[in-house]
Amino acid sequence: MNTHKALLAALLVPLGATLALAPAASAATPPAPPAASASAAVAPVGPEEAVAATFRSPEAALGRVAHPLRTTEPRGGLADLRPFGRMVGDARVVGLGEATHSSHEFLTVKHRVLRYLVEEKGFRAFALEAPWSTGLRLDAYLLRGEGDLKQIMDEEFQGTYRWWNNAEYRDLLQWMRAYNVKHPNDPVRFVGDDGGFAGAELYDKVSAYAAAARPDLAPRLTELYRGLRPATDAETYVNDYLSKPMAERKELAERTGRAVDLLKQRPGTGADADAHAWAIQHATAIHQMTTLYAFDWDDPRSIPDLMLYRDRIIAENVAWWQQRTGDKIVLAAHNGHIALRTYIPGAYPRVQGDFLREQLGDGYLSVGLTFGRGSFNAFGQDGGVHRFTVGPAAPGTAEHTLDRVRFRDFVVDLRNTPPAARAWLAAPHTVKNIGATYPGIADAPQIRLAQSHDVVIHLQRVEAAHMLK
């Protein structure tokens, strides 16, 4: 296979034939206008001038309803996030996006928002674009201190998931663990919602359930899972799996589907009901991986169906956790996944946020995170990890206007804006949309912000995240 490794990277890369931004690390760029401090607005104007300005430009209109952020760092007071809390309202799942996968401020803002929603709004889970089995290992660490965090992150965040092996997420996980030590009876949980890998834990949990509750099924499940339980590291396992002939991959997906069906044949009752539901979900996660890899990754015509399947399952996994546990969830993913409408229809027919809005209604809130300029880590065209820098947002882009709102970093509710802002938000504008590889083929799609997100957090500048490995 020549293309499957590139497409494996694309699990975290928005695809589509749209405009691309070239790296600007060495390119000359025009100077950005001086930014106001987080708490300082433009010079005071009279009421009549203020009203007139609201109708003159979208940035002035947005400035009337935007709320400044005191800082993007997770420590310190959270009072500046109270307006955001009002925007969250009664939402049960809050999707927090990112315009790049590996910029420091996007990750620290997520940490800060998680802190606020846990402490002030009763949220009790953090979901990430990571395998379901990864979530189980991290959840065990957060709940009971099982394992070593560095080892877990090194072993789980491999391949395209390596972007999560950074100091920022390590700090977030350490905060979650410290919170749980102080609140053992009301902990914060971790959810991996993705299907790119199915760790050995899943097979062990399904087998343990069958041995205890359905011994008649145990031999059959063992046969159906023959040869599937990982015995290597995650990256090697996935690369080897995708090297299997297509017929074998389809046969494996059919086998794991039969395993799910076997478990569903006799519903759990009484004390067994909860264990039965979790066993089915673990078996479903195995089947999601084998189904994902049963698509023909070498055929570009299969990509829309592949990506549609992936976004549907990552939505289903989040919704399952929320409905099973009752936890309110902070969901971290790329802007293109948590959006209410796809950024790239040709490759992503529907996305996670679209499915969650369909399932949860107003119980799902989409929060896009944008930036004007700065740096990020990504795979380069040579396949290596590099730090890239992009200059100030170009005129006509969404970020160019957002940069001119009167606050440096701010949050704004797109559902409640003055007319001049509403008209601008309803029109298509190019946005930065940088995935795991840069430059990509979908770095600058045109979207309508009002249709894509409920809320936007805009940062004027970001810096590359601190990779740990």
Side-chain angles (χ1 to χ4, degrees):
M1 282 190 176
N2 295 322
T3 61
H4 76 255
K5 288 185 179 178
L7 283 169
L8 182 59
L11 274 177
L12 297 176
V13 184
L15 299 174
T18 57
L19 298 174
L21 295 172
S26 59
T29 54
S37 69
S39 59
V42 295
V45 297
E48 293 181 1
E49 291 86 347
V51 171
T54 297
F55 287 91
R56 279 202 301 268
S57 69
E59 56 264 37
L62 290 168
R64 304 300 298 176
V65 292
H67 300 273
L69 298 179
R70 180 185 62 83
T71 179
T72 59
E73 294 302 306
R75 305 299 186 266
L78 301 172
D80 58 311
L81 289 177
R82 288 173 186 160
F84 176 72
R86 293 192 290 272
M87 298 174 199
V88 170
D90 296 327
R92 304 190 298 281
V93 177
V94 172
L96 288 179
E98 58 202 18
T100 81
H101 277 308
S102 191
S103 290
H104 171 83
E105 287 77 6
F106 287 147
L107 305 180
T108 56
V109 163
K110 290 181 183 186
H111 184 168
R112 194 161 188 263
V113 168
L114 175 68
R115 268 192 62 211
Y116 173 80
L117 292 178
V118 167
E119 294 174 5
E120 302 295 334
K121 299 283 288 184
F123 279 65
R124 288 297 181 269
F126 181 79
L128 182 65
E129 278 184 88
W132 184 262
S133 53
T134 298
L136 296 179
R137 285 191 72 186
L138 284 169
D139 194 49
Y141 167 79
L142 296 175
L143 290 177
R144 299 179 293 277
E146 292 182 11
D148 175 76
L149 180 59
K150 180 182 184 303
Q151 180 181 357
I152 295 171
M153 293 180 71
D154 285 347
E155 292 177 354
E156 297 296 331
F157 296 148
Q158 297 187 15
T160 55
Y161 297 112
R162 74 182 63 194
W163 307 114
W164 311 152
N165 197 0
N166 57 60
E168 291 81 4
Y169 270 148
R170 178 196 61 196
D171 293 347
L172 181 150
L173 291 164
Q174 288 174 337
W175 177 84
M176 293 173 71
R177 174 59 185 153
Y179 182 92
N180 289 348
V181 169
K182 294 180 180 178
H183 305 86
N185 297 320
D186 189 22
V188 182
R189 310 287 300 276
F190 189 97
V191 185
D193 61 27
D194 208 353
F197 178 66
E201 299 81 8
L202 298 181
Y203 299 90
D204 296 343
K205 287 181 179 295
V206 173
S207 297
Y209 170 79
R214 298 290 305 277
D216 55 311
L217 292 185
R220 183 65 178 136
L221 288 170
T222 298
E223 177 61 23
L224 291 172
Y225 287 149
R226 176 175 43 83
L228 277 168
R229 186 182 185 278
T232 64
D233 66 88
E235 187 171 17
T236 300
Y237 178 91
V238 171
N239 285 331
D240 289 347
Y241 195 102
L242 281 169
S243 296
K244 297 178 187 294
M246 178 57 65
E248 182 178 352
R249 284 151 54 190
K250 288 183 179 295
E251 192 267 337
L252 289 170
E254 191 273 335
R255 280 166 44 188
T256 59
R258 277 189 279 151
V260 174
D261 291 340
L262 277 176
L263 287 167
K264 287 181 176 179
Q265 284 179 0
R266 187 188 304 168
T269 58
D272 177 59
D274 191 59
H276 181 253
W278 281 94
I280 290 176
Q281 177 60 19
H282 299 327
T284 297
I286 295 171
H287 183 53
Q288 288 171 348
M289 183 204 73
T290 58
T291 303
L292 189 69
Y293 294 146
F295 286 92
D296 187 350
W297 289 51
D298 288 327
D299 184 356
R301 294 172 299 179
S302 73
I303 301 306
D305 289 338
L306 186 162
M307 295 304 177
L308 176 65
Y309 177 76
R310 186 201 175 205
D311 270 80
R312 179 168 63 80
I313 64 171
I314 60 180
E316 288 176 349
N317 289 336
V318 170
W320 184 91
W321 184 286
Q322 199 286 312
Q323 291 161 0
R324 187 74 204 171
T325 67
D327 292 341
K328 292 198 286 187
I329 301 172
V330 173
L331 165 64
H334 198 278
N335 282 341
H337 288 303
I338 61 92
L340 299 171
R341 181 173 295 190
T342 180
Y343 278 23
I344 311 151
Y348 279 75
R350 293 184 67 187
V351 292
Q352 182 180 29
D354 185 356
F355 286 113
L356 287 171
R357 176 57 59 87
E358 180 180 70
Q359 294 179 64
L360 303 177
D362 291 341
Y364 175 69
L365 185 82
S366 174
V367 184
L369 271 65
T370 59
F371 76 109
R373 65 194 298 182
S375 60
F376 51 89
N377 303 305
F379 292 121
Q381 295 302 300
D382 61 357
V385 174
H386 301 281
R387 173 175 173 161
F388 297 96
T389 300
V390 294
T397 64
E399 293 89 355
H400 186 263
T401 295
L402 293 172
D403 268 351
R404 282 153 178 75
V405 172
R406 62 180 182 155
F407 304 117
R408 175 182 177 85
D409 301 326
F410 62 88
V411 56
V412 61
D413 191 335
L414 306 186
R415 302 164 298 179
N416 182 26
T417 59
R422 288 201 297 272
W424 180 80
L425 291 166
H429 298 283
T430 301
V431 296
K432 293 185 179 72
N433 186 54
I434 297 158
T437 299
Y438 189 79
I441 59 175
D443 294 333
Q446 283 210 339
I447 69 165
R448 302 173 192 270
L449 277 172
Q451 296 178 357
S452 301
H453 302 289
D454 299 305
V455 174
V456 160
I457 296 175
H458 181 71
L459 311 178
Q460 285 209 350
R461 182 188 291 271
V462 299
E463 299 296 333
H466 300 92
M467 303 289 289
L468 295 177
K469 189 174 181 181

